[in-house]
Amino acid sequence: MKLGLAENTQSPAPAILVFGGGAVAKQIQQSIQGMGLKCLLWSDLDLPKDFIFPTRGDPSAREKIDHILRVFKNLGRDHAYVHPGVTHWAERPELESWARSAEMVLVSSPAKLLNLFQHTLSLIKTAETVGVPTLLLSDDVLTSAREIGVALKDIIEQKKGQFPFVLKSVDRVWNGLGVRNISGFDELKEWVPTWIEQLEEQNHNDMVFIERFVEGARSLIVPFARLKSGYTEFFNIVDASLQTQGKNWVEVCPAQHLEVEIEAKLRDYSKRVLDSVGFIGVGCLVFLYDGRECYLIEGLARLNLGYRLWERVAGTNAVQWQLATLAPALVTAPINGTRPIQRNTEVCGLNLKIYAEDVMLKVPHPGHVVELNHPPLEQGHFEAIWDVDPGQQVVPSSSGSIGQITVFERDWDSVLAKAKEIFSQVWVAGGVQTNERFLQELLSHPWVRESMVYTGFADEEFVPRMTPEP
């Protein structure tokens, strides 16, 4: 009889800690648990009641995250992995060394890749070196309205472009704040100084650069997973053209009426960039398509907020791909894929994001949420997830996200009809103004029904009603 021998002792299943307290964090947790792994959210830990998860600009962020990791690690020797979710920390390179100091493994792309993707200007310049078209007019880094004015005059004099132009933050900024169109020199005094101050306040960086403006272009997202071996799996392309103020309020997958040749070009351009930097992990690249050419404008080295849309359409598991690329020891079952993605013609998905925002004034509208309601969930038709619960506040420092509705049907006409039916029954009550009526009206627009949309459509062509119909 043998007692206490190593071969007779089964090691506990590894446990993973997920950052973030919203609905997407819970989706990630469910995916990890579905793989037979233990998973906790940071909010599940025994922390002080007044403990607040650190924001990027929190001066005590390092101490707070060290405390979170230490509490999790003390739960058991198998508590060895941390997943940053879709929080700001999923893009911060310093988190890798912090996790290593806590003797934990971070499920994230390497720090150098996070740095590259966070620094949009560097990513765009890298793309140019491998022959991928961009809209970059000048790689000069500008920090004031005066410098922007001098650079614009130089571009015009050299006949490189004419108004309008695009001003873009050097570092990627959430909520669309990092991109603004400028149509004349008078705007350099009107709003550019205030905008630069907002960049400094939110992103701790006021540096911007200039891109060419493309009229009537579609915004296309290319999701992917790339293994250490270099194998790259591309998933169905997402159309994010129905955006407002740079925020993707509506996403469609697969992108409608997109030629096979353009899909191939998007994946070729993406692979050039990913191979050139040796990317490892799951992420996406964003392009503008003007009917002739595709231009890289930014990228993400993490899961995007609406990843469930392309995940479901592609019939795959995005979090499993993440673990396979970044923590392969955790993945025991084979993941579907390892072959060129096939065009999925049997499922069409539509993701709609609900925000606390005054649609007419186009400003955030934080406040108290009293009630949230949606029709009963129907298996296979749609998913509803909420980032706030009844009784909670949408605070000014948050993204303003209240939740997401993701609808799936067999084709575009069916998914559009189902989305309008569902949204007519969505109800958000309290001291907040929200955009669900705006989204419902947007889905009824004849141009949307025919998929004749572009990135400026919701801001330039669509005018919502001031008051709802009787």
Side-chain angles (χ1 to χ4, degrees), residues 39-342:
C39 183
L40 293 176
L41 302 180
W42 79 270
S43 54
D44 296 329
L45 302 178
D46 186 15
L47 296 167
K49 290 184 179 180
D50 59 348
F51 187 90
I52 299 176
F53 189 81
T55 60
R56 179 184 172 186
D58 190 336
S60 59
R62 172 70 190 269
E63 291 76 14
K64 289 181 179 179
I65 286 183
D66 280 346
H67 182 65
I68 293 172
L69 298 182
R70 186 166 59 251
V71 171
F72 178 69
K73 186 73 174 177
N74 289 340
L75 293 176
R77 61 186 177 90
D78 56 315
H79 291 57
Y81 292 85
V82 57
H83 190 299
V86 294
T87 65
H88 284 284
W89 296 106
E91 302 178 45
R92 300 305 306 163
E94 61 266 33
L95 188 60
E96 183 179 49
S97 62
W98 296 357
R100 192 184 308 114
S101 298
E103 299 182 334
M104 297 182 68
V105 177
L106 180 67
V107 183
S108 173
S109 297
K112 67 175 184 178
L113 294 173
L114 295 180
N115 251 330
L116 175 66
F117 275 64
Q118 175 69 14
H119 198 273
T120 302
L121 180 57
S122 295
L123 179 63
I124 288 173
K125 290 168 68 175
T126 298
E128 288 187 330
T129 65
V130 292
V132 175
T134 73
L135 298 171
L136 187 63
L137 281 174
S138 170
D139 59 3
D140 291 335
V141 175
L142 313 167
T143 59
S144 68
R146 184 189 64 81
E147 291 181 356
I148 293 172
V150 171
L152 289 176
K153 287 179 181 177
D154 185 55
I155 290 171
I156 293 172
E157 288 174 0
Q158 296 183 31
K159 301 187 184 323
K160 293 182 179 179
Q162 293 289 334
F163 285 110
F165 294 101
V166 176
L167 302 181
K168 182 177 287 187
S169 172
V170 166
D171 282 343
R172 210 185 69 79
V173 184
W174 285 33
N175 300 331
L177 179 63
V179 182
R180 289 290 183 270
N181 296 339
I182 182 168
S183 57
F185 286 112
D186 56 330
E187 296 178 359
L188 293 174
K189 293 182 179 180
E190 290 177 4
W191 60 262
V192 169
T194 302
W195 175 62
I196 291 178
E197 287 179 9
Q198 291 174 331
L199 290 179
E200 171 63 28
E201 181 180 347
Q202 179 166 329
N203 216 42
H204 306 283
N205 189 333
D206 60 358
M207 297 185 293
V208 302
F209 63 98
I210 302 173
E211 285 187 329
R212 179 163 60 88
F213 176 81
V214 179
E215 187 175 5
R218 297 172 67 180
S219 177
L220 301 172
I221 301 173
V222 183
F224 57 81
R226 189 177 186 275
L227 303 177
K228 192 174 183 179
S229 64
Y231 170 79
T232 305
E233 177 86 354
F234 288 107
F235 307 106
N236 298 81
I237 294 171
V238 178
D239 191 327
S241 300
L242 280 176
Q243 54 186 254
T244 180
Q245 295 289 298
K247 291 188 289 190
N248 296 347
W249 279 9
V250 181
E251 294 178 342
V252 182
C253 184
Q256 300 297 296
H257 310 307
L258 191 62
E259 300 90 340
V260 176
E261 295 78 10
I262 299 303
E263 290 191 20
K265 177 181 283 190
L266 287 167
R267 289 173 179 135
D268 172 56
Y269 286 169
S270 298
K271 194 166 192 318
R272 291 191 208 178
V273 174
L274 299 176
D275 288 348
S276 69
V277 301
F279 189 89
I280 303 171
V282 174
C284 60
L285 293 173
V286 185
F287 294 82
L288 287 183
Y289 170 54
D290 64 357
R292 299 180 300 276
E293 187 57 272
C294 304
Y295 306 94
L296 178 70
I297 58 171
E298 68 171 336
L300 271 181
R302 61 163 173 84
L303 291 174
N304 62 316
L305 192 62
Y307 78 90
R308 288 281 283 185
L309 174 66
W310 56 261
E311 175 191 68
R312 176 84 174 264
V313 172
T316 191
N317 185 326
V319 177
Q320 191 176 21
W321 274 103
Q322 259 192 323
L323 297 185
T325 56
L326 302 168
L330 296 178
V331 181
T332 56
I335 51 179
N336 62 321
T338 63
R339 67 200 183 330
I341 193 73
Q342 301 297 313

Side-chain angles (χ1 to χ4, degrees), residues 324-458:
T325 56
L326 302 168
L330 296 178
V331 181
T332 56
I335 51 179
N336 62 321
T338 63
R339 67 200 183 330
I341 193 73
Q342 301 297 313
R343 289 169 60 85
N344 195 334
T345 58
E346 299 177 356
V347 180
C348 183
L350 188 63
N351 176 263
L352 303 109
K353 298 179 178 67
I354 304 174
Y355 280 91
E357 183 162 318
D358 186 316
V359 177
M360 300 306 297
L361 297 179
K362 298 182 179 179
V363 295
H365 197 286
H368 187 71
V369 175
V370 176
E371 183 182 353
L372 294 170
N373 184 50
H374 59 75
L377 295 176
E378 304 171 48
Q379 186 65 31
H381 275 303
F382 80 100
E383 298 175 354
I385 60 173
W386 302 113
D387 287 322
V388 295
D389 295 319
Q392 290 185 336
Q393 293 274 351
V394 179
V395 297
S397 60
S398 73
S399 67
S401 174
I402 290 179
Q404 300 181 51
I405 303 289
T406 311
V407 188
F408 302 97
E409 278 291 349
R410 64 185 181 277
D411 54 41
W412 172 242
D413 291 337
S414 301
V415 78
L416 198 59
K418 176 60 69 173
K420 287 190 287 185
E421 175 189 340
I422 291 169
F423 247 76
S424 66
Q425 303 174 60
V426 172
W427 177 256
V428 181
V432 292
Q433 292 190 34
T434 56
N435 67 331
E436 74 265 21
R437 184 166 57 85
F438 172 91
L439 293 174
Q440 187 179 358
E441 291 179 21
L442 185 63
L443 296 180
S444 299
H445 196 283
W447 286 23
V448 175
R449 291 199 302 267
E450 299 300 324
S451 297
M452 297 170 56
V453 295
Y454 59 95
T455 52
F457 172 79

